[in-house]
Amino acid sequence: MRIDGSATLEIQATPAECVAALLDLASYTAWYPGVTTAEVVDPGGPQPTARLVFTTGMPILAEIECVLQIDQPTPNRVRAVTLSDGVQIDGDGWILDGPAEGPTTATYAIGVEMKVPGGPFVEHLVKAKAGEFLIDRPVAALKRHVERPPDSGAR
């Protein structure tokens, strides 16, 4: 099954704050939708790499596991590169535009290819929900995460 899409939101934070949140893979369990495990596998490397386990809330794709490496081709662009089988991610990733003092226009544009058990009929049933989970919810979660008051601890 292939899902392509993008979502854009204005975030009341600086582009640097947004980039820092996206590069901190170890903190994904605290804010990134569905991430239940974020095990950093290469802490000393130039590109953050982690094994992530997502719980989707969908019976058919209850859990997705992948190893992601974060690439930062420009200071305001962050994209995930998959290093494991099962889920392949491509596309522009996160583009975080705005003045240095904020706000930031965050656009997340990705394509996701994954195997779904059950064939085309089941793929059709989960595609809309998977698109929301993989594209729309991460942008909203980043917004909540970086806009929160420093001591709130809220998600």
Side-chain angles (χ1 to χ4, degrees):
M1 172 177 77
R2 174 129 185 119
I3 298 169
D4 292 287
S6 67
T8 301
L9 279 178
E10 184 173 275
I11 298 176
Q12 298 304 313
T14 69
E17 290 170 318
C18 295
V19 168
L22 292 166
L23 293 176
D24 184 8
L25 291 169
S27 75
Y28 276 30
T29 56
W31 69 272
Y32 204 99
V35 174
T36 57
T37 302
E39 175 189 335
V40 176
V41 295
D42 187 9
Q47 297 172 313
T49 304
R51 182 182 70 83
L52 301 177
V53 177
F54 296 85
T55 301
T56 67
M58 295 179 282
I60 295 164
L61 290 174
E63 198 171 81
I64 299 170
E65 181 177 339
C66 60
V67 175
L68 293 180
Q69 183 175 70
I70 302 298
D71 180 29
Q72 191 177 9
T74 65
N76 290 352
R77 184 166 165 231
V78 176
R79 65 184 185 125
V81 177
T82 48
L83 301 179
S84 57
D85 294 335
V87 177
Q88 296 301 311
I89 298 173
D90 57 45
D92 289 337
W94 294 90
I95 300 167
L96 305 150
D97 289 325
E101 67 279 356
T104 300
T105 300
T107 299
Y108 187 41
I110 64 165
V112 178
E113 182 78 36
M114 70 179 89
K115 295 199 184 315
V116 175
F121 177 73
V122 175
E123 286 180 9
H124 177 72
L125 292 175
V126 300
K127 196 166 193 171
K129 180 77 171 169
E132 175 190 338
F133 178 79
L134 295 167
I135 300 164
D136 298 331
R137 288 181 57 204
V139 178
L142 177 64
K143 178 179 174 70
R144 284 190 306 275
H145 178 62
V146 297
E147 285 185 352
R148 71 179 180 182
D151 297 320
S152 74
R155 288 171 113 181

